[in-house]
Amino acid sequence: MGKKRVVVSSSETTAVVVEQLRGWEGLNPEILALIFVRIPADAMVRGVPFVCKPWMEVVAGPYCWHDIDVEAWCRRRDVSRAVDVDFVVKKLVRRSKFTVQRLSAYRLGESGFFLVSICGRSLKVLQSPMSSITDYMVIKHIKPLPNLKLLDISHCYKITHKGIAAFGNHCKSLIHLKRRMPPLLDEDCSPIDDSEAKTIATTMVSLQRIELCFGRFGDMGISEIVTKCKSLTHLDIEGSCNVELNYGDLKEICESLEHFRCPQIDYSDGFFDNDEASEDVDSVSSIYD
């Protein structure tokens, strides 16, 4: 049998390539979203929607916004006004149709916090360091967030033990609290204020990981935490100059934890090195999925 030679014109080749490209358009929106979310949020908004109409519809829909991370954008833009952050956060939360599972944003304000707080059962991780949220805002706007597992309110100067109590009373599934504050000056180390530590111990008893760097609390406050938070495995109180670990058997209890960092321990020997800390973060982050 003789061989038959087929010649394909350039126009036909182009048609085949175009047809293959159209396969992307026909993909399920959820599958496309899994690809798009690997792109930084601001880059995705600026570039992806202009490729084709189906891609624009995917980015405008809820599937790309279950995880909202604008932390890098906040850093790069040096956004100093909460209203700018709130505008972006509100827009993306609405796109998600209030199905956000994780939000990470600096300098969150009242209107942004309000919209995030009504995400309800879907929200698992809320990271809003350096926000302007006050106790009054938290008490006024916080709704039950039964599945929230990680809360980061580091460098939130306007939140006190009253706001922490409101979070604790509405977020019963919390297992990780970040409450890192800026380093204290020597004259700021007194008087001791155990109010936040005692509130955490009373309202967040299920916590497994607690980061309270540079807090004003003393031995009594830490004793309340390690006594009442029965599931605690990680405690970081580095820079908390009022802690002396001289209260009863507090030192022994703290050192029996899986990981413990405090002002009295020298970390130069690799007690809590970065590799080990990174592994811990990776292992715990899987719990939030």
Side-chain angles (χ1 to χ4, degrees):
M1 182 180 294
K3 295 182 179 179
K4 184 180 293 185
R5 186 177 179 182
V6 179
V7 178
V8 180
S9 67
S10 60
S11 60
E12 291 176 334
T13 303
T14 304
V16 171
V17 173
V18 170
E19 189 64 31
Q20 291 175 343
L21 290 175
R22 285 176 179 170
W24 283 89
E25 299 179 7
L27 281 178
N28 184 294
E30 294 185 53
I31 297 176
L32 279 173
L34 292 175
I35 300 171
F36 294 160
V37 294
R38 297 177 179 273
I39 306 171
D42 55 326
M44 176 169 57
V45 171
R46 289 198 312 267
V48 173
F50 302 102
V51 175
C52 60
K53 185 176 180 180
W55 286 21
M56 179 184 293
E57 292 173 350
V58 171
V59 174
Y63 301 115
C64 287
W65 306 111
H66 296 320
D67 187 332
I68 299 176
D69 186 350
V70 292
E71 175 184 328
W73 174 79
C74 292
R75 288 179 179 272
R76 187 165 58 253
R77 291 285 299 274
D78 190 24
V79 179
S80 58
R81 296 190 306 160
V83 65
D84 297 328
V85 177
D86 284 355
F87 175 79
V88 171
V89 168
K90 289 190 295 183
K91 186 173 183 178
L92 297 182
V93 169
R94 289 192 179 102
R95 281 192 180 186
S96 78
K97 299 188 184 301
F98 299 94
T99 61
V100 178
Q101 297 180 14
R102 174 178 174 266
L103 172 74
S104 179
Y106 280 88
R107 304 181 184 90
L108 196 64
E110 180 173 9
S111 59
F113 175 72
F114 168 73
L115 219 61
V116 172
S117 69
I118 62 178
C119 288
R121 303 185 68 87
S122 67
L123 194 62
K124 297 179 181 179
V125 177
L126 175 57
Q127 296 174 288
S128 57
M130 297 194 293
S131 72
S132 59
I133 304 170
T134 65
D135 288 339
Y136 175 76
M137 291 180 190
V138 176
I139 295 170
K140 178 182 178 181
H141 296 312
I142 191 67
K143 308 292 182 184
L145 301 172
N147 295 321
L148 188 69
K149 295 184 178 181
L150 186 154
L151 174 65
D152 185 353
I153 49 174
S154 300
H155 295 256
C156 295
Y157 307 105
K158 298 179 181 180
I159 294 179
T160 69
H161 67 281
K162 296 179 182 178
I164 291 175
F167 276 117
N169 290 328
H170 287 83
C171 310
K172 293 301 184 181
S173 296
L174 275 179
I175 60 174
H176 191 168
L177 173 67
K178 294 184 178 183
R179 176 64 170 165
R180 295 172 172 267
M181 302 303 284
L184 297 171
L185 300 176
D186 292 338
E187 58 266 25
D188 292 333
C189 287
S190 59
I192 295 174
D193 183 359
D194 286 325
S195 59
E196 287 194 8
K198 290 183 177 180
T199 300
I200 291 169
T202 303
T203 64
M204 302 179 177
V205 295
S206 299
L207 286 174
Q208 298 175 16
R209 299 172 65 104
I210 305 177
E211 301 174 33
L212 298 175
C213 301
F214 300 101
R216 296 176 180 270
F217 46 80
D219 286 1
M220 187 69 72
I222 292 301
S223 179
E224 289 266 347
I225 288 176
V226 297
T227 301
K228 295 182 179 180
C229 297
K230 302 294 185 181
S231 301
L232 190 64
T233 59
H234 293 64
L235 178 61
D236 187 350
I237 54 173
E238 186 180 16
S240 303
C241 53
N242 288 325
V243 176
E244 299 179 351
L245 300 179
N246 292 329
Y247 182 77
D249 57 352
L250 178 60
K251 184 176 181 180
E252 288 75 16
I253 295 176
C254 289
E255 292 182 347
S256 67
L257 297 173
E258 186 176 337
H259 290 292
F260 175 57
R261 187 195 287 266
C262 77
Q264 288 73 28
I265 296 179
D266 180 11
Y267 302 100
S268 60
D269 60 353
F271 171 80
F272 195 87
D273 58 42
N274 292 331
D275 292 338
E276 187 175 7
S278 299
E279 291 176 1
D280 294 331
V281 172
D282 292 340
S283 62
V284 174
S285 64
S286 63
I287 301 175
Y288 309 139
D289 295 337

